[in-house]
Amino acid sequence: MIRVFPDAEALSRAAAALFARAAQRAARRAGRFVVALAGGQTPRRAYEWLAHLECQGTVPWEAVHVFWGDERCVPFEDPRSNARMAHEAMLQHVPIPPHQIHPIRCEGDPEAAADRYEAVLRAFFREAPPQFDLILLGLGEDGHTASLFPFHPAVTEQRRWVAAVPEADPPRVTLTLPILNQAHRVVFLVAGARKAEILRTVWEGPFDPLRWPAQGVRPGPGRILWMVDAEAAAGLSRIR
Ligand code: 6PG
């Protein structure tokens, strides 16, 4: 399922509204909303909208538990930190209980960081398969998502919930496809002309998730939504 928006601002506002609705539903249903945030720059504006006055009161922040789909192994103060971006854009502006924010701490060894984050997830989900209510993802120009990069062993990891990507610069930690595909709902946010070619490849090219890891995100019918702007969608021959 794909929805095309006129521009990145419209996409961001719609993504914020989707987040708020999903949070309300989950809070009503289960008393909590468990979300994994995407990194990179595309989601920033959606996070800013969620912290905006207009959205105040629409998100049951007291029931929200925030995790990340991936992180760069840099200090929080580093501008490349996904946790820093989410705090600046949203988390420091909303009344979410601090103990319900679960950053991936990986300034040191990414393998140890991956093990630690997996322990955090296992403790939170109490060993049941971790089903996030919502996972937000971006799309890299090489077809990566989270920090699942083309031809990296983490892409084919089937046992671990969290994997290390020590080869990246900076090194990274990422949720694995089995966890992403366990989610109740996955939403990709893709904007900008530079994403047009890879979006067309991912959508209309051959199925090769090792080469284009975003193709490996297949949580099942009705559980994945691609929210893209017109520039990114320009290469698509058909919208389905
Ligand atoms: C990261 C993200 C990564 C990102 C894509 C798109 O930590 O970099 O998890 O998967 O979503 O690279 O990034 P942009 O939104 O900046 O284009």
Side-chain angles (χ1 to χ4, degrees):
M1 171 75 170
I2 192 165
R3 286 180 61 194
V4 181
F5 296 87
D7 53 38
E9 183 69 4
L11 185 161
S12 300
R13 293 188 71 162
L18 179 147
F19 181 111
R21 286 194 305 274
Q24 291 162 6
R25 275 197 305 269
R28 276 197 304 271
R29 185 182 67 243
R32 72 183 193 184
F33 174 61
V34 187
V35 60
L37 299 181
Q41 290 310 308
T42 303
R44 175 189 283 272
R45 189 69 181 125
Y47 300 162
E48 289 172 348
W49 269 112
L50 281 165
H52 189 272
L53 208 56
E54 185 178 286
C55 286
Q56 292 300 331
T58 62
V59 179
W61 289 108
E62 72 287 347
V64 177
H65 294 259
V66 169
F67 295 82
W68 273 262
D70 73 323
E71 184 56 280
R72 296 87 175 271
C73 295
V74 295
F76 178 83
E77 299 71 27
D78 189 304
R80 296 170 296 178
S81 163
N82 288 338
R84 172 180 164 168
M85 185 275 275
H87 273 80
E88 284 180 346
M90 174 171 65
L91 296 175
Q92 64 193 37
H93 307 292
V94 297
I96 183 171
H99 70 275
Q100 292 176 195
I101 300 173
H102 309 273
I104 301 174
R105 302 192 189 289
C106 70
E107 292 89 348
D109 168 22
E111 289 289 354
D115 289 344
R116 280 197 306 272
Y117 206 59
E118 178 151 340
V120 167
L121 290 172
R122 286 185 183 278
F124 182 84
F125 287 105
R126 297 202 176 92
E127 297 300 331
Q131 184 173 49
F132 285 90
D133 295 300
L134 175 64
I135 296 181
L136 297 178
L137 292 173
L139 176 66
E141 292 178 60
D142 59 358
H144 82 262
T145 192
S147 286
L148 298 169
F149 292 98
F151 306 110
H152 192 279
V155 176
T156 54
E157 173 62 53
Q158 291 301 314
R159 185 181 52 80
R160 296 178 68 181
W161 296 2
V162 186
V165 186
E167 303 82 355
D169 181 19
R172 297 185 178 212
V173 168
T174 183
L175 298 188
T176 57
L177 283 173
I179 302 311
L180 300 182
N181 287 326
Q182 187 85 39
H184 182 71
R185 193 167 199 201
V186 175
V187 175
F188 276 91
L189 306 178
V190 186
R194 63 191 180 88
K195 299 292 177 74
E197 183 178 345
I198 188 60
L199 187 64
R200 184 181 55 74
T201 300
V202 166
W203 265 76
E204 300 176 1
F207 181 66
D208 187 351
L210 189 55
R211 184 171 176 191
W212 300 299
Q215 290 184 335
V217 181
R218 300 157 62 89
R223 291 165 51 192
I224 183 167
L225 172 64
W226 289 73
M227 300 177 79
V228 306
D229 72 355
E231 286 186 349
L236 297 180
S237 58
R238 61 188 180 283
I239 303 289
R240 58 182 186 278

